[in-house]
């Protein structure tokens, strides 16, 4: 058995492509002011979707050109991969890391960039070409664009990663799970830096199944910025979104040696599943497992429940919002005015599916580093079952300044899978 001392893990790079912003500073400004990235989508109207509102990153051709060559753009039709490339390269550059030399890969640097599925539009294009007997027109990158590990493989080639390179996929918990997986690898001394995060495609081929399930709001097609309403008594379903979030995790010793900017520290985290038992199912979380993963994360971080200042919840703006808050109350054994401050970024970016946790983690890190709690939008009246257990003032509707020491972020995904992480303000 190894007696190796566990490494402390910090965050030294951030990158984001979100519905309301496409770089970190703009993302901070948008969350601080409650700026929404939700819009009416004419294509969804044409296709007779019930919900015609979505969150899609707004990318300029100039930005795309700065990350993909004209040759790489030829035949490229995978929005999620594009988002992940931009966010991943932004995080890597933000960390001040250099590209690998041509003759050797970076053996201490790895990548875990997750996705729910990749290249939905490209896959549809490929099906039609094959059915028409035009297989030769698929192009040489169709496989890369549609394989789930394509985003991590692409970034590995761009940056020169020589450690673990993989893509995880756990529905809406994918991004938070990726961070925990990268954290554990560095903590065990198996890598010095890990680029972690997740990405999710845009478009009707990704969102159509959810519209068919009738879990998206249909009454806000003419008022898109009001459509996503976490915590609210009139929450009517989640608004689909897309984008990518990426973070560079690094051992504290490596970050100090490089004199890198340190945004925050990862204190601990946990993953589990409810097994579709109790009140859990393919589409609903098992409350006992949710409470368990929160306690497991606290234990892994060696942090007491009463030390948590802020929670960034999963909070999808569905009927399960109150259920989630009640599970936090039970897991932390805190309620009323002793409950931590709590927010959800889905009121301004929607539910970005596999990328949700990664994008929201960027906001969490910024809250810690900048001492602020971003506002919750669209709460006309707090859901009665939330107001019954939590002081309404703990769910702020305006951005407030606060010296945050510990923040918890959780993500819960289809399949009854859960991920929870404890972040800490870094102090040298």
């Amino acid at each position: 058995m190894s007696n190796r001392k566990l490494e402390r893990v910090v965050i030294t790079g951030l990158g984001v492509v979100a519905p309301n912003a496409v770089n970190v500073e703009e993302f901070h400004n948008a969350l601080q002011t409650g700026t929404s990235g939700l819009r009416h989508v004419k294509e969804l109207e044409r296709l007779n979707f019930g919900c015609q509102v979505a969150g899609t990153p707004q990318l300029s051709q100039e930005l795309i050109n700065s990350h993909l060559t004209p040759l790489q753009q030829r035949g490229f039709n995978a929005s999620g991969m594009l988002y992940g490339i931009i966010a991943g390269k932004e995080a890597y550059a933000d960390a001040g890391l250099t590209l690998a030399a041509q003759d050797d890969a970076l053996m201490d640097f790895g990548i875990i960039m997750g996705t729910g599925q990749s290249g939905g539009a490209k896959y549809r294009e490929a099906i039609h070409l094959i059915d028409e007997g035009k297989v030769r027109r698929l192009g040489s990158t169709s496989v890369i664009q549609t394989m789930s590990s394509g985003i991590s493989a692409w970034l590995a080639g761009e940056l020169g990663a020589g450690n673990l390179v993989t893509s995880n996929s756990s529905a809406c918990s994918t991004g938070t799970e990726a961070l925990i997986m990268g954290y554990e690898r560095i903590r065990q001394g198996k890598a010095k830096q890990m680029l972690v995060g997740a990405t999710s495609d845009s478009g009707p081929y990704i969102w159509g199944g959810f519209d068919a399930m009738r879990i998206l709001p249909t009454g806000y097609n003419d008022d898109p910025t009001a459509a996503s309403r976490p915590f609210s008594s009139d929450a009517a379903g989640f608004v689909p979104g897309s984008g990518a979030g990426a973070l560079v995790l690094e051992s504290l010793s490596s970050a100090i040696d490089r004199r890198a900017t340190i945004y925050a520290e990862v204190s601990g985290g946990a993953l589990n599943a409810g097994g579709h038992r109790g009140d859990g199912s393919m589409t609903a979380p098992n409350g006992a497992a949710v409470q368990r993963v929160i306690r497991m994360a606290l234990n892994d971080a060696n942090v007491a429940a009463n030390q948590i200042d802020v929670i960034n919840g999963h909070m999808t703006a569905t009927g399960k919002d109150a259920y989630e808050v009640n599970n936090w109350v039970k897991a932390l054994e805190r309620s009323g005015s002793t409950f931590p401050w709590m927010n959800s970024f889905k009121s301004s970016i929607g539910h970005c599916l596999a990328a949700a946790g990664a994008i929201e983690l960027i906001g969490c890190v910024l809250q810690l580093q900048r001492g602020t709690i971003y506002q919750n939008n669209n709460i006309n009246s707090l859901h009665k079952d939330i107001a019954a257990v939590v002081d309404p003032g703990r769910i702020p509707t305006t951005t407030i300044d606060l010296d945050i020491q510990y923040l918890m972020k959780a993500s819960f995904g289809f399949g009854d899978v859960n991920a929870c992480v404890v972040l800490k303000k870094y102090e040298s």
Side-chain angles (χ1 to χ4, degrees):
M1 181 178 293
S2 173
N3 292 319
R4 176 189 294 155
K5 182 180 178 181
L6 294 177
E7 295 276 358
R8 289 172 63 185
V9 180
V10 294
I11 299 167
T12 57
L14 302 175
V16 68
V17 175
N20 61 350
V22 293
N23 65 54
V24 171
E25 193 60 34
E26 289 179 6
F27 190 52
H28 161 70
N29 293 335
L31 291 177
Q32 189 173 47
T33 58
T35 300
S36 177
L38 306 183
R39 302 169 183 86
H40 178 260
V41 181
K42 290 184 178 180
E43 184 182 18
L44 300 184
E45 180 180 3
R46 178 180 65 81
L47 294 171
N48 296 317
F49 273 55
C51 175
Q52 299 163 11
V53 177
T56 302
Q58 305 296 292
L59 304 182
S60 68
Q61 189 60 48
E62 181 182 9
L63 177 63
I64 296 171
N65 292 344
S66 70
H67 289 280
L68 296 181
T69 67
L71 180 60
Q72 289 172 328
Q73 291 181 48
R74 188 180 304 168
F76 195 97
N77 193 16
S79 58
M81 180 173 282
L82 176 62
Y83 303 149
I85 291 168
I86 295 171
K89 290 171 69 175
E90 180 187 357
Y92 193 83
D94 185 48
L97 296 169
T98 56
L99 302 183
Q102 287 300 313
D103 58 347
D104 199 12
L106 300 169
M107 301 308 294
D108 291 321
F109 168 66
I111 299 173
I112 305 174
M113 282 289 288
T115 184
Q117 63 187 80
S118 181
K122 186 65 178 180
Y123 197 72
R124 176 182 181 274
E125 175 188 314
I127 289 171
H128 283 284
L129 286 172
I130 292 169
D131 287 346
E132 293 167 7
K134 300 175 181 177
V135 66
R136 298 291 182 183
R137 289 179 54 188
L138 285 176
S140 60
T141 65
S142 62
V143 172
I144 297 169
Q145 292 182 58
T146 55
M147 69 184 194
S148 296
S149 59
I151 177 58
S152 291
W154 186 297
L155 286 168
E158 290 252 3
L159 306 174
N163 203 280
L164 173 69
V165 174
T166 190
S167 294
N168 64 312
S169 186
S170 294
C172 308
S173 64
T174 298
T176 305
E177 179 185 82
L179 181 137
I180 293 169
M181 292 170 66
Y183 156 74
E184 290 176 343
R185 189 163 185 84
I186 294 174
R187 184 166 68 161
Q188 294 166 9
K190 296 180 179 180
K192 289 183 179 179
Q193 297 109 8
M194 294 292 297
L195 177 64
V196 302
T199 187
S200 185
D201 276 7
S202 296
Y205 310 114
I206 304 300
W207 304 327
F210 299 108
D211 198 74
M213 292 173 69
R214 300 184 181 182
I215 56 175
L216 311 184
T218 59
Y220 295 90
N221 293 337
D222 295 327
D223 189 14
T225 62
S228 183
R229 313 179 70 79
F231 301 102
S232 185
S233 60
D234 56 358
F238 77 79
V239 175
S242 55
L247 307 92
V248 173
L249 305 184
E250 187 164 1
S251 69
L252 177 60
S253 57
S254 172
I256 289 174
D257 286 346
R258 292 196 310 112
R259 297 184 179 180
T261 297
I262 297 176
Y263 287 99
E265 182 170 357
V266 183
S267 290
L271 305 167
N272 79 349
H276 304 195
R277 297 300 188 265
D279 51 4
S281 69
M282 179 61 75
T283 59
N286 176 330
V290 167
Q291 294 170 40
R292 191 178 305 122
V293 80
I294 294 168
R295 296 188 184 112
M296 289 167 60
L298 288 170
N299 184 65
D300 188 61
N302 195 28
V303 172
N306 62 9
Q307 291 179 273
I308 302 302
D309 301 304
V310 176
I311 298 167
N312 183 256
H314 191 55
M315 300 303 296
T316 55
T318 64
K320 288 294 183 180
D321 285 6
Y323 182 69
E324 179 182 336
V325 172
N326 271 274
N327 280 317
W328 281 104
V329 167
K330 293 174 182 177
L332 298 178
E333 298 182 351
R334 295 172 62 181
S335 61
S337 61
T338 70
F339 191 72
W341 299 91
M342 189 172 188
N343 61 4
S344 169
F345 304 146
K346 291 184 177 69
S347 60
S348 56
I349 63 174
H351 187 348
C352 295
L353 305 176
I359 294 173
E360 292 162 12
L361 277 163
I362 304 299
C364 292
V365 171
L366 292 172
Q367 288 187 133
L368 268 170
Q369 187 215 24
R370 305 195 182 197
T372 191
I373 302 174
Y374 300 128
Q375 66 189 60
N376 295 288
N377 298 334
N378 301 329
I379 303 177
N380 285 341
S381 63
L382 202 61
H383 191 289
K384 62 181 179 61
D385 292 338
I386 298 176
V389 294
V390 173
D391 184 334
R394 307 302 281 181
I395 302 173
T397 54
T398 59
T399 295
I400 60 175
D401 294 331
L402 182 73
D403 182 18
I404 306 168
Q405 295 298 314
Y406 288 99
L407 180 151
M408 292 192 81
K409 167 65 189 163
S411 299
F412 312 116
F414 272 19
D416 200 7
V417 292
N418 310 307
C420 187
V421 64
V422 181
L423 301 178
K424 178 184 179 183
K425 179 180 179 180
Y426 176 73
E427 295 176 334
S428 60

